[in-house]
Amino acid sequence: MNSFVASYLIQEGITNGAIYCLLAVAILLVFSVTRIIFIPQGEFVSYAALTYAALREGKLPGTVGFTLALVSVMVGARLLRGIAEGNLRHSLLEALKSALLPLLVAVVVFASAPYVLPAAVDALLAIALVTANGPLIYAIVYQPLAKSSTLVLLIVSMALHLVLVEFGLFFFGPGGARTEPLLDLSFSIGSLPVPAQSLAIYLAAAVLILGLFLFSERTLYGKALRAAAINPLGARLMGVSSTMAGSVAFAASAFIGAVCGVLVSSVTTIYYDTGFVLGLKGFVAAVIGGFVSYPLAALGALAVGLMESFSAFYASQYKETIVFTLIIPVLLWRSMRRRGTPEEDH
Amino acid sequence: MRRLLPFAALGLACVAAALLLLPYYLTILTYIGLAAIVSLGLVLLTGQGGLSSFGQAAYVGLGAYLSAVISTSLHWPPLATLPVVLLVSIVSSYVGAVITVGLSGHYLSLATIAFGLSAYFLFGGLPFAGGQTGLSDLPRLSVAGFEFRTPQASFILVWCILIVAMVVLSNLLDSRVGRAIRALKDGATMAESMGIDTRGSKLQIFVVACVLASLSGWLYAHFQRFVNPSPFSLAQGIEYLFMAVVGGAASLWGALVGAGLVTFLKQWLQGFLPSLIGSGGNFETAVFGIIIIVMFQLAPDGLIPAVRRLTGRAGIRPRAVADAPPLSTRPRAPRGEVVLSVRQARKSFGGLVANRDVSLDLRAGEILALIGPNGAGKSTFFNLVSGTLDADEGHFEFKGSSIRGLGSRAISRLGLNRTFQHVRLLPDMSVLENVAIGAHRRGKAGLFSALLRLDRTEEALLLAQAKHEVERIGLGDQLWTEAGALALGQQRALEIARALAADPQVLLLDEPAAGLRHGEKQQLAALLRKLRDEGIAILLVEHDMDFVMRLADRVVVMQFGTKIAEGQPEEVQKDPHVLEAYLGAAQ
């Protein structure tokens, strides 16, 4: 391997690493607020990329139908629960309130789809639509399970992943999508060309990670969200609604996933099921961060990206095996450091 | 023998099915049997042991691929590959378990997800395994010249193996080793304090579950006669886990119900959905996922417990406990001899010194009470003695030899047995079996004798001893009640019975009278006096002054992590330091 190949592999590794890093941060955020290990994080990436690609081609993205389906399921479920609990009017009001924003975004996207708009506007529309799905998914799937164990939530997350992938196939079809980069520029460092899109990815990763870190460590609101995860009852007594916290966390996770999707769609072709493997690698990085530390997860994501691009070069058929096996020594190291507390269970 | 009746009935039903059903249904039933063998392992692992694995499909794949590769490239008959498959799955799952069982809670689940993924990509990547296309034309299984060619033959074979596996696992659960496994769900602290090697138990169930999975894979390969990576993917691993959970992971029959339900549902969806939606996608996966989510929202414990609750058939069926001679006991130290001696015990948590140079002696045949205001460090001291926490400094001697740093399991095996302040019983398990956990140390029967039921003589002794202890605390008529259904006072008494079943020299009781009614307290005091008179040394942490002062021979008072007084109850009550600690400084 010469130094050009090496520096190319490094650059590719860092670009992928930055994407994994964003996904890891989203997974961490959801976990630290809700105790949910959100396996389908990557599905937001696919959905956003395919939505953006459809908008660029002036087609109506399948996400509009998906959002409408989610809204009607959410309203229906809330009404059923309202009837069961005998406070129909309250539930109806709540359901309409949660439905308003997603419906609005869906209508705007529906109306603007046939027109040729600047790429940045399409990107924003795609991100907004996918972000609106986050809280809807939380309300439908996870909110009724708020008292369940982490294991049950994990199994449900796996099930939700299966559902979302199949829905992706239904709403977007089996074809892949690749878009023009938002910024069609290229710099070079030495002999190595660095596309501006990669820089945009690095920048987005850096800004979001720093922002989330400051938000959760330094602001009262961020602390309230974390408190809702550590002790939901205690937080509720202090006036923090764990439902609201969950909604916010899912909106943020969908937003981050959507940003990734729009950015990554110009780097690689995205299919309805591409997001899963991307998300899982973000997940490996989140595990390296022990599900608590944003900066460690960021380092982990870079390690995963580099490991992947180098193993793709040396042993491409074992690329995925190598990346996913990496998690096991890390878990061991993690759990070894946690020894010595008497109530280590659960 | 009554225990085996349901399995015999199932066997008869299988014979009837083989004679009556069309080959199409027999084939589906064969797949159900194959899946049930895997999810049976998961019921043991997840439902009983509390460990969840998303990676079982990888072990199914291991069995299938190993046999496929050997039988196609070396032309071995399938029966000859079976020992290889079993050996490799035992070794590899043992190694995998050694690496991963130390992981707690969801870390283990994550490791198994990663393992399942890497194994799936490995199956597709290995050059000699045929890549994504896989290997085809595998030989059929044949035994002594009989080839399993017809659907009837395959069906009977798979279900025979399934029924044998169910019988063997039900043997296991109804044994000393099985109780240790069931104790895992409550976390390591309680089990280790009962002398159970929790790590060893986890290794055992991991290996048993993986052997079942690879056995199913081996059967699958030679029944299907074709392997490719897709049936061994992570999604399939989730499906196995779901099968174990949907039926109700606490029961072996749950595996069968789950496997049957899931397989039929998927078959039905495959036939039904295209006519409904009219497209070629595999929406059964999506519908299936939705069903998983809805089921957890409606019946979080699974279907069998939900149905049982609805039909009011909850509870444990009582069985007779044969009388047996008491187990041999250890020689007790003569009354008055110091059995436990602690010098300069120190423990701090961060900047907080919970115990500062605490020393005390405990003699055989005395009740020593440890009292003090909240936060005085009593429970910390208690945990240091019982080995639940490691001391930073100090000497801990039991009958003249040091026990510091031995850990709670070894300490409990020496004869220092404890109860827990927050009752830690297994609520779904019977009163009798809960107490039998305490007697774990006094039995020897291991995994194999449990699986093959060679442990009955010893088991009868253990249960008879447990019954004796239960009768001693006055719950003799509730042997088969679920421990969780008892009143709090009874549960506390049960904790003591469990400690007594271990044949203690030193009984460590953490707030045994908390939440008890007056009458219950008097009964408890009478029991403790009786135990003292038998020569047991009792160390008691307690808040109820009245109870302590009437009962204890000596009292040690702690405040802010240090010992401030020690002596007879009357002396301590007059001690100015004690009065100050409890009532505030006198002006």
Side-chain angles (χ1 to χ4, degrees), chain A residues 141 151 166 327 332 338 342 345, chain B residues 52 99 104 114 188-189 282 297:
Chain A
V141 177
L151 172 66
E166 295 306 323
I327 207 173
L332 266 183
R338 276 163 39 95
D345 325 300
Chain B
S52 45
I99 297 174
S104 52
T189 311
N282 57 339
Q297 291 184 349

Side-chain angles (χ1 to χ4, degrees), chain A residues 185-196:
Chain A
L185 294 169
S186 186
F187 307 96
S188 52
I189 301 170
S191 59
L192 185 72
V194 178

Side-chain angles (χ1 to χ4, degrees), chain B residues 86-381:
Chain B
L86 293 181
L87 191 70
V88 171
S89 76
I90 289 173
V91 172
S92 66
S93 63
Y94 185 79
V95 172
V98 166
I99 297 174
T100 51
V101 294
L103 303 169
S104 52
H106 54 265
Y107 282 104
L108 176 70
S109 320
L110 296 182
T112 60
I113 290 177
F115 172 72
L117 277 168
S118 28
Y120 169 72
F121 286 115
L122 193 66
F123 293 138
L126 290 173
F128 52 84
Q132 289 296 324
T133 6
L135 298 166
S136 49
D137 286 333
L138 306 181
R140 278 208 183 87
L141 179 65
S142 67
V143 178
F146 177 77
E147 198 178 14
F148 287 86
R149 180 180 292 277
T150 60
Q152 283 84 359
S154 301
F155 163 73
I156 288 290
L157 174 72
V158 167
W159 280 72
C160 276
I161 291 178
L162 172 65
I163 292 172
V164 169
M166 287 177 81
V167 170
V168 165
L169 286 194
S170 99
N171 288 347
L172 175 63
L173 291 178
D174 179 33
S175 75
R176 169 180 173 271
V177 181
R179 284 188 294 272
I181 291 167
R182 292 157 75 185
L184 291 175
K185 250 208 295 201
D186 188 55
T189 311
M190 185 275 278
E192 289 277 329
S193 298
M194 299 301 134
I196 293 169
D197 176 6
T198 52
R199 191 180 155 78
S201 289
K202 287 180 183 175
L203 291 179
Q204 286 174 342
I205 53 177
F206 215 92
V207 170
V208 169
C210 292
V211 164
L212 286 173
S214 48
L215 182 65
S216 168
W218 174 79
L219 284 167
Y220 172 88
H222 299 287
F223 165 65
Q224 178 92 351
R225 304 185 59 209
F226 161 70
V227 289
N228 69 345
S230 66
F232 314 121
S233 65
L234 183 62
Q236 188 63 41
I238 303 164
E239 210 170 294
Y240 286 130
L241 188 58
F242 178 62
M243 285 174 189
V245 178
V246 71
S251 149
L252 293 177
W253 293 89
L256 199 58
V257 172
L261 210 64
V262 169
T263 312
F264 263 120
L265 201 65
K266 292 195 85 172
Q267 280 289 330
W268 179 71
L269 288 175
Q270 262 165 11
F272 172 70
L273 279 183
S275 65
L276 190 74
I277 301 175
S279 108
N282 57 339
F283 288 103
E284 71 271 9
T285 319
V287 175
F288 180 65
I290 292 171
I291 291 172
I292 295 184
I293 295 169
V294 171
M295 193 216 82
F296 274 116
Q297 291 184 349
L298 297 179
D301 309 328
L303 292 177
I304 290 187
V307 171
R308 276 204 178 154
R309 259 197 308 276
L310 283 179
T311 55
R313 275 197 51 211
I316 303 164
R317 187 182 301 153
R319 283 182 286 158
V321 181
D323 282 321
L327 293 169
S328 63
T329 53
R330 278 186 285 227
R332 293 243 163 85
R335 293 194 66 170
E337 188 182 297
V338 173
V339 281
L340 176 71
S341 159
V342 180
R343 290 288 171 272
Q344 311 286 315
R346 180 184 279 262
K347 176 75 186 177
S348 37
F349 299 102
L352 175 79
V353 184
N355 276 189
R356 191 191 303 273
D357 304 333
V358 181
S359 303
L360 58 76
D361 284 328
L362 178 64
R363 296 187 177 82
E366 78 165 342
I367 298 178
L368 174 64
L370 187 57
I371 64 169
N374 279 327
K378 305 182 297 289
S379 288
T380 303
F381 182 77

Side-chain angles (χ1 to χ4, degrees), chain B residues 38 41-42 45 53-61 206 209-210 213 237 240:
Chain B
V38 184
L42 278 171
L45 198 61
S53 166
F54 289 84
Q56 288 315 97
Y59 282 99
V60 182
F206 215 92
C210 292
Y240 286 130

Side-chain angles (χ1 to χ4, degrees), chain A residues 212-225:
Chain A
L212 276 173
F213 179 74
L214 292 177
F215 172 73
S216 75
E217 300 288 326
R218 297 288 155 81
T219 67
L220 189 61
Y221 204 72
K223 283 177 187 163
L225 287 192

Side-chain angles (χ1 to χ4, degrees), chain A residues 31 35 37 39 139-145 148 150-152 154-156 158-163 166-167 169-170 276-277 280 283 287 290-291 317-318 320-322 324-325 327-328 331-335 338-346, chain B residues 46 52 54 98-100 102-107 109-111 113-115 117-119 121-122 125-127 185-189 199 202 234-235 238 241-242 245 277 279 281-283 285-290 292-293 296-297 300 388-389 424:
Chain A
F31 182 76
R35 302 270 130 198
I37 296 180
I39 306 280
I140 294 169
V141 177
Y142 291 104
Q143 207 178 309
L145 289 167
S148 303
T150 315
L151 172 66
V152 165
L154 185 56
I155 297 180
V156 165
M158 290 302 241
L160 179 63
H161 149 69
L162 298 178
V163 175
E166 295 306 323
F167 277 16
L169 177 61
F170 179 76
F276 178 51
V277 178
L280 279 176
F283 189 74
V287 170
F291 274 93
Q317 62 193 6
Y318 301 117
E320 314 285 10
T321 304
I322 291 171
F324 290 119
T325 311
I327 207 173
I328 290 172
L331 284 170
L332 266 183
W333 169 68
R334 281 257 148 226
S335 78
R338 276 163 39 95
R339 287 276 160 77
T341 45
E343 301 292 314
E344 95 301 344
D345 325 300
H346 312 303
Chain B
T46 308
S52 45
F54 289 84
V98 166
I99 297 174
T100 51
L103 303 169
S104 52
H106 54 265
Y107 282 104
S109 320
L110 296 182
I113 290 177
F115 172 72
L117 277 168
S118 28
F121 286 115
L122 193 66
L126 290 173
K185 250 208 295 201
D186 188 55
T189 311
R199 191 180 155 78
K202 287 180 183 175
L234 183 62
I238 303 164
L241 188 58
F242 178 62
V245 178
I277 301 175
S279 108
N282 57 339
F283 288 103
T285 319
V287 175
F288 180 65
I290 292 171
I292 295 184
I293 295 169
F296 274 116
Q297 291 184 349
T388 311
L389 284 175
R424 299 195 72 166

